[in-house]
């Protein structure tokens, strides 16, 4: 099931980014292109970060930014 949500085409190796917002934007691009999310979802991640802080950091160097499904998620997906 994970390979359905996270196909190889959704995996990107980026050497560095300017900041966390840029990282979120880059990581969201495959999901936007596939119609799994809309731009409102990315904005909801930014808004949640402003309100709650980086709650999505799972471990050093590992994060899973996300928002509530009703904030722009259209179907399941990971990138």
């Amino acid at each position: 099931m994970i390979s359905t949500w996270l196909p190889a085409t959704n995996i990107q190796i980026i050497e560095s980014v300017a900041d966390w917002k840029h990282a979120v934007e880059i990581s969201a691009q495959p999901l936007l292109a596939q119609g799994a999310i809309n731009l409102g979802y990315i904005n909801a991640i930014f808004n949640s970060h402003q309100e709650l802080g980086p709650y999505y950091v799972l471990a050093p160097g590992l994060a899973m930014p996300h928002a509530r499904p009703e904030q722009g998620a259209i179907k399941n997906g990971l990138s």
Side-chain angles (χ1 to χ4, degrees):
M1 171 117 68
I2 191 84
S3 62
T4 302
W5 293 352
L6 184 60
T9 55
N10 287 17
I11 298 171
Q12 304 172 75
I13 308 294
I14 308 295
E15 188 171 325
S16 67
V17 295
D19 57 29
W20 70 271
K21 284 187 174 184
H22 190 214
V24 170
E25 290 168 348
I26 290 171
S27 66
Q29 289 307 308
L31 299 174
L32 279 170
Q34 296 162 9
I37 61 171
N38 62 35
L39 286 174
Y41 193 80
I42 298 169
N43 290 326
I45 292 170
F46 295 155
N47 292 337
S48 292
H49 180 97
Q50 288 298 111
E51 292 176 26
L52 306 171
Y55 63 92
Y56 46 79
V57 175
L58 305 177
L62 179 63
M64 189 180 292
H66 61 280
R68 299 207 35 86
E70 65 270 13
Q71 293 176 306
I74 298 164
K75 60 185 179 180
N76 291 331
L78 296 171
S79 63

